[in-house]
Amino acid sequence: MSRPGPHRLPAWVAVAIAALAPVGCGDQRAAAPGSVAERPDSLEEWREARAQLDATVWADEVLAQEYERTLVALWDALLAAERRGDAAATRAALGQVGLRELRVGTPERSETLDHEIELLRFSEPFETLDPEAWQRRLEELFESGYRLVQSEWHHARFEPPAGGAPARSRVSIVLHVVDEARGRRIAVEGELGVEWSDRRDARGNHLPAKVDTTELRMLARTGPPAFERILEYTWSPQGRPSRLHPILVYDLDSDGRSEIVLVGAARVLWNLGDGRFRDAPLLDRPFVLTETGVIADLDGDGHPDLLSTRARGDLVLYRGDGNGRFREEPRTTPSFDEPLRAPSVLTVGDVDGDSDLDVWLAQYKPAYADGQMPHPFYDANDGYPSHLLQNDGAGGFSLATEAAGLAEKRFRRSYASSFVDLDEDGDLDLLVVSDYAGVDLHHNDGKGRFTDANSTIQGDRHLFGMSASFADFDLDGRLDFFVAGMSSTTARRLEALGLGRSDRPEIQEMRMRMAFGNRIYLASDGGFREPEFRAQVARTGWTWGTTAFDFDNDGDPDLFAANGHASGESTTDYCTNFWRHDIYDAKSEPDPELGKLFAEVSQDLVAGKESWDGYQKKRLLMNRGGTGFVDVAFLFGVADQFDGRSAVSEDFDRDGRVDFVVVEDHGALGQKLHVYRNRLEAPGAWIGVQLREQGQGISPVGASVVVRTPERRHVGRVVTGETLMGQHSTALHFGLGSESRVEAIEVRWPNGASQVLRDPEPGRYHLVLAPQP
C-alpha cells in the first residue's frame, strides 16, 4: 500500500512534481448506494463524485473522522510536549481530555517472561475516577517519578449514535513510560472503550463521557536497556542530503568484522572493532547508483564484487580487487530491451547448478505516479518487468526470464526477492515479495527452470509485501519465513462499520486480507502454513525492513520490524482517503484529471503538515520458545518512532550478542543510519559460523548451515535480497540458550559439497572456507 516508495525521488518531492493521483479500477463508479454512474471526466466531476460518496456510502466513516479529531488533538499535544521534554505539558494534555468518568483496574502480574519481564493485566478491584480524582492520580504518578515518553492513539472501531444511544469508539493505544525512581520501563498496550458525550471543547472537538481502561495490559522490566545506539550517520555532500540505501553488510577485507556499505551514498563504514567505524569513499569516481545492490563473487575469482544499478537505467558490476575495494571501471551487463525504470532488489544464487551466481532483478513501480494505481490492488501485475539473468561464469549475464518459466508474474511491484531452498531438495527456489500482491513462491527443478508453487502455501499469501526474514521460528529444525506488510487500523474500522461500495464487492472481500499486516509461514509437510499465533506478529504498523536474529541467545530467533511511513506536523492520517477512494478509483493507466484531484486532496500530506501512518514505534518481537511472540522493543531501548526503512542485523563487534542497523527516512531531507550495539547482560550460550570465498571456490551465497546439539537441530541459510534494500553478511549466528555442547556444524555449499566440524567450541565464530572445485 505504498506511496512513491523509499527509492526514486523522495516521496513528497515526487508527489509535488508529478501531481500523483489515484485512478479507477473499472469504468464505472457508485454515485450512491446501489446505483452506478459514468466515470468522471474532469477534476470538478471527480470532486463531486467523491463528495457524493462521502455523503452516502462513507457517511459513518466521515463521522468517525470527526470524532477522531479529539484523538488527533491529544496525540499532537503529547508529541509537542515530548519534543520539548516538557513533562508538565504532557500531564496537562492528559488531564484536559474532558472526560467525566475513567474506569481503571488494579494491575496484577499474570506472568513472568524471560529477562524478568512482568506481564500485568488489570483486574478487580475496579475503580471509577471523576475528573478531580483523575487529576490527582496523574499528579501522584508524575510526582513519584513516572514519565510518559511516547504514545500512539488509533481509532480502531466506531459506532455512530443511534436510537438515543451515544457514539462509542474503541481506541488502540501505546504508552511508553519510564519509572525513573525504580529504574523500570513500562509498555502499556491495548484498547480503550470510549463512550462519547454530547459536549465539545472550544475547538469543536467531541469530548468523551466515559473511558474504560480495564482491557489494557502492561509489560514492565527493571534494568538498563539491552541496546545502545552507538552511531548516527548521515551523508550530505555539498550540503545536499543523500539517500543511503541500499545497506549492504559484508566483511570486505576478510578480517572477521563486517563493514557497512552505503551504496546510495557511495560510502563504506570500515569496521575497526569494539563498536568503532571509519567513514571512507566506496568508489573514487562513482556513478549515480540507485537504491539496490548486492555484494558477492559474481566473476568467480574468489573476491566479492559489487553489483548495482545506475540512474541511467543499466546494471553494472564493480569487480573486487581482493583487498575489499572495487575496481573503478564497471562492467555494464546485460543489454535490456528497455532501460531499468525503478530497480528495487537484486538477489543472487546458483539456480542452474553450474557453480556461478545468477541474478534476479525486480523493480517497483510507485503507486499514484502519473495518475495510476496498481490494479487490482490485491494482485497487481502491472509494473515494470523483472529479469532473470544467467551468469556465464565470468560476470557476464544474459536474459533468461522466459526460458526459466518466470515470465507470467514478472510485472509485480516488488520490494524483496530471494533465492533460497524452501522445499529442501538441494536447489534454490525463488520467493518474491510484492506490494499490492503479496507472496509468490517458485520451485526450482535444479536446472534453473521454475514452476509456480503458491499452492504449497497453506494460508493467505496476500499482503502489501515489503520484505522477508528466514529462520526456524517454531524450532522444529526446518526453515520458515516471515513477510512484512501493513496492518491498517482504518481498514479494520471500515470492516467493523460494514462499509463499502455495492459496485465493487471484491474490494470489500479483499480489504482485510490485504490489511491483515505481516504474515508468518512455518514449514510443514508439503509446504508452509500460517500458525495459530499469526496475529501476534501481524500488527507492527506500516512495516518496511525486517530482520530475524536471536538477540538474547536463548535459542529461538526474534524479529525486528522497522515501521512508519510518513510522519508530519500533525498525526491527522491520510489513510482514510486511501481506503475510501483511492483503491476504488484505481486503474493501471494514467488519468491526468484524477491526478489533479489527488494533488489537491493530498496537499497537506505533500507539505508535511499531516501524516500517513506516522510516529509508529519500532518493534522487537521476542520469540517465546517457538509458540508465539511479544513486543519488547521499548523495554530494550529500540522503540524509536522515526520513519524506518531498511533493517539489517549483524554481530559487528563479534562478542556473540547480535547488533543491528536501521535506516531513518526523511524523504527530501535524506536518510540517517542508526547503529545499535547489543549490551544485554548474561545472555545465553552461542556459536557462529563465518563462511568465506577463496581462490576459485564456490560462493557462500546459498549455503545451508546446520548446528547439531544433543537437544536439537539449528538451521541457517546465507540469503540475499530478503530485507528491504539491504543485505546480511555471510556470517551466521546461533543462540544456544542453556546448551553447553555442540556436536557438529554441517555446511552444505551450493554445489552440493559438504563440510563437517566435529565438536566445535561454543562462544566463538568458526571460519569455513569455500571448497575448491
Side-chain angles (χ1 to χ4, degrees):
M1 196 177 80
S2 88
R3 299 277 310 271
H7 54 273
R8 315 315 306 153
L9 288 173
W12 313 130
V13 176
V15 173
I17 292 176
L20 309 182
V23 199
C25 262
D27 295 325
Q28 296 176 317
R29 64 169 177 84
S35 65
V36 176
E38 292 298 321
R39 182 179 177 83
D41 293 323
S42 67
L43 173 60
E44 185 58 35
E45 288 181 3
W46 275 113
R47 289 175 182 150
E48 292 176 0
R50 287 195 170 191
Q52 190 173 12
L53 288 164
D54 282 345
T56 53
V57 174
W58 305 114
D60 286 346
E61 169 63 8
V62 172
L63 184 61
Q65 291 296 302
E66 181 181 314
Y67 280 85
E68 188 175 286
R69 285 200 292 268
T70 300
L71 305 177
V72 169
L74 173 60
W75 195 356
D76 287 354
L78 291 172
L79 281 170
E82 176 189 328
R83 294 184 190 108
R84 300 192 305 268
D86 190 342
T90 298
R91 183 172 64 182
L94 291 171
Q96 293 172 4
V97 294
L99 55 84
R100 290 175 175 170
E101 294 182 6
L102 178 69
R103 188 166 186 255
V104 299
T106 302
E108 180 178 322
R109 184 170 64 187
S110 62
E111 190 176 355
T112 300
L113 311 181
D114 291 348
H115 310 290
E116 299 301 315
I117 297 172
E118 294 181 306
L119 172 60
L120 302 100
R121 302 186 186 276
F122 291 95
S123 60
E124 296 181 352
F126 297 114
E127 183 181 2
T128 299
L129 306 179
D130 60 22
E132 291 75 18
W134 169 232
Q135 290 284 358
R136 289 195 299 272
R137 183 68 57 86
L138 274 177
E139 185 175 347
E140 292 169 0
L141 289 170
F142 275 81
E143 289 184 352
S144 61
Y146 289 90
R147 180 167 58 90
L148 177 65
V149 296
Q150 292 176 333
S151 67
E152 289 185 31
W153 305 79
H154 301 283
H155 198 184
R157 284 177 175 258
F158 178 67
E159 297 177 19
R168 291 183 171 86
S169 292
R170 302 285 294 177
V171 179
S172 177
I173 72 167
V174 175
L175 304 176
H176 288 161
V177 178
V178 173
D179 178 359
E180 295 175 329
R182 300 162 188 80
R184 289 199 308 169
R185 286 180 164 239
I186 301 169
V188 181
E189 293 191 10
E191 288 189 352
L192 302 174
V194 179
E195 180 181 301
W196 297 97
S197 72
D198 56 3
R199 299 174 298 128
R200 298 184 184 233
D201 63 17
R203 292 173 292 182
N205 294 329
H206 291 272
L207 292 174
K210 301 178 181 179
V211 177
D212 189 336
T213 70
T214 57
E215 294 184 30
L216 300 178
R217 73 170 190 177
M218 299 170 54
L219 289 172
R221 178 176 181 266
T222 301
F227 289 90
E228 174 191 6
R229 182 161 29 204
I230 60 173
L231 178 64
E232 294 184 10
Y233 177 88
T234 58
W235 175 245
S236 300
Q238 291 81 48
R240 298 190 303 271
S242 174
R243 311 292 286 176
L244 303 179
H245 280 149
I247 311 301
L248 312 182
V249 174
Y250 209 94
D251 181 8
L252 295 178
D253 54 4
S254 301
D255 67 350
R257 299 187 297 264
S258 291
E259 279 67 52
I260 304 173
V261 179
L262 312 171
V263 176
R267 309 294 295 179
V268 57
L269 301 179
W270 289 95
N271 190 345
L272 304 178
D274 196 30
R276 296 174 297 117
F277 295 88
R278 177 175 59 85
D279 181 19
L282 175 63
L283 303 162
D284 291 337
R285 297 180 299 277
F287 291 91
V288 178
L289 302 175
T290 57
E291 294 185 302
T292 186
V294 64
I295 295 175
D297 178 15
L298 289 153
D299 60 4
D301 66 354
H303 307 312
D305 311 304
L306 170 64
L307 186 69
S308 188
T309 53
R310 295 190 288 197
R312 66 177 64 173
D314 58 358
L315 180 71
V316 293
L317 178 66
Y318 291 87
R319 298 178 186 274
D321 66 0
N323 297 309
R325 274 74 175 176
F326 301 103
R327 298 172 192 168
E328 289 302 318
E329 295 300 325
R331 176 174 179 177
T332 304
T333 179
S335 177
F336 296 101
D337 295 335
E338 61 180 51
L340 300 172
R341 300 286 298 278
S344 55
V345 59
L346 287 164
T347 187
V348 299
D350 179 11
V351 302
D352 50 8
D354 63 356
S355 298
D356 55 37
L357 296 179
D358 308 298
V359 176
W360 174 257
L361 186 159
Q363 302 196 74
Y364 183 84
K365 184 178 182 179
Y368 295 90
D370 302 319
Q372 55 75 41
M373 285 279 284
H375 171 61
F377 84 100
Y378 51 86
D379 195 25
N381 193 31
D382 56 358
Y384 304 132
S386 299
H387 303 276
L388 179 67
L389 308 176
Q390 191 174 50
N391 196 337
D392 64 6
F397 297 94
S398 58
L399 301 174
T401 314
E402 294 187 6
L406 293 170
E408 182 180 353
K409 297 177 181 178
R410 66 181 302 197
F411 292 95
R412 294 294 199 202
R413 303 184 184 218
S414 301
Y415 269 126
S417 300
S418 291
F419 288 129
V420 56
D421 183 7
L422 288 174
D423 57 4
E424 298 186 336
D425 65 351
D427 54 44
L428 299 180
D429 309 303
L430 176 62
L431 183 76
V432 179
V433 179
S434 304
D435 200 3
Y436 295 96
V439 173
D440 287 302
L441 177 58
H442 307 271
H443 279 168
N444 189 353
D445 69 353
K447 299 178 181 179
R449 291 187 292 272
F450 294 84
T451 55
D452 189 320
N454 283 344
S455 62
T456 65
I457 299 176
Q458 303 161 22
D460 201 322
R461 64 175 189 80
H462 290 89
L463 74 160
F464 296 102
M466 293 290 163
S467 61
S469 293
F470 299 95
D472 178 12
F473 295 112
D474 61 350
L475 315 185
D476 68 349
R478 294 186 286 184
L479 193 70
D480 313 310
F481 65 97
F482 168 87
V483 182
M486 282 165 257
S487 58
S488 173
T489 302
T490 303
R492 292 197 295 275
R493 183 174 64 242
L494 294 175
E495 196 76 6
L497 284 166
L499 301 183
R501 283 170 45 170
S502 60
D503 63 327
R504 303 301 301 280
E506 78 281 4
I507 291 184
Q508 285 86 257
E509 178 185 347
M510 295 300 299
R511 182 168 55 200
M512 282 314 302
R513 293 174 68 181
M514 289 295 290
F516 179 77
N518 311 320
R519 295 191 182 275
I520 190 168
Y521 303 94
L522 304 182
S524 60
D525 294 340
F528 292 86
R529 62 179 176 84
E530 290 188 90
E532 293 182 359
F533 61 75
R534 62 187 180 275
Q536 296 176 15
V537 302
R539 297 181 183 179
T540 57
W542 187 321
T543 300
W544 297 87
T546 60
T547 182
F549 62 106
D550 188 355
F551 81 90
D552 52 1
N553 291 342
D554 64 351
D556 52 36
D558 311 296
L559 282 161
F560 177 80
N563 51 20
H565 178 39
S567 301
E569 296 174 15
S570 171
T571 57
T572 300
D573 200 338
Y574 180 85
C575 198
T576 182
N577 294 290
F578 177 87
W579 287 106
R580 292 201 324 267
H581 297 301
D582 300 357
I583 285 300
Y584 287 89
D585 295 333
K587 69 176 183 180
S588 299
E589 295 75 22
D591 188 322
E593 291 302 304
L594 191 52
K596 295 175 185 177
L597 176 68
F598 184 77
E600 181 177 280
V601 299
S602 65
Q603 58 186 343
D604 286 344
L605 184 62
V606 172
K609 294 180 180 179
E610 64 179 42
S611 302
W612 192 352
D613 282 356
Y615 299 101
Q616 294 182 342
K617 315 303 178 284
K618 307 299 160 286
R619 303 286 185 138
L620 179 61
L621 302 177
M622 184 176 73
N623 194 331
R624 302 190 64 186
T627 62
F629 291 81
V630 61
D631 177 32
V632 297
F634 181 69
L635 306 184
F636 288 97
V638 292
D640 303 277
Q641 61 187 9
F642 54 72
D643 296 329
R645 293 297 185 264
S646 182
V648 183
S649 55
E650 173 72 7
D651 185 3
F652 289 108
D653 54 7
R654 286 299 192 262
D655 67 351
R657 295 173 291 186
V658 181
D659 319 299
F660 71 95
V661 301
V662 63
V663 171
E664 174 181 352
D665 188 76
H666 286 283
L669 300 179
Q671 295 180 324
K672 178 185 293 185
L673 181 76
H674 299 264
V675 181
Y676 297 85
R677 190 175 188 180
N678 187 342
R679 293 185 176 275
L680 182 66
E681 297 178 358
W686 64 278
I687 198 167
V689 182
Q690 174 72 61
L691 304 184
R692 184 179 297 165
E693 308 91 344
Q694 67 164 338
Q696 301 298 314
I698 302 300
S699 169
V701 176
S704 171
V705 176
V706 174
V707 173
R708 297 189 182 277
T709 68
E711 296 184 15
R712 55 177 284 214
R713 178 178 187 262
H714 304 255
V715 297
R717 300 282 197 281
V718 178
V719 182
T720 62
E722 75 279 26
T723 190
L724 177 87
M725 298 181 190
Q727 178 182 342
H728 291 87
S729 78
T730 60
L732 297 178
H733 168 276
F734 300 89
L736 301 175
S738 59
E739 296 186 85
S740 58
R741 178 172 175 257
V742 175
E743 294 176 338
I745 295 175
E746 303 171 7
V747 181
R748 186 178 188 277
W749 294 86
N751 67 344
S754 295
Q755 294 169 296
V756 179
L757 280 67
R758 304 289 182 186
D759 295 313
E761 180 186 358
R764 71 181 186 89
Y765 286 89
H766 296 264
L767 177 63
V768 181
L769 297 177
Q772 295 294 305

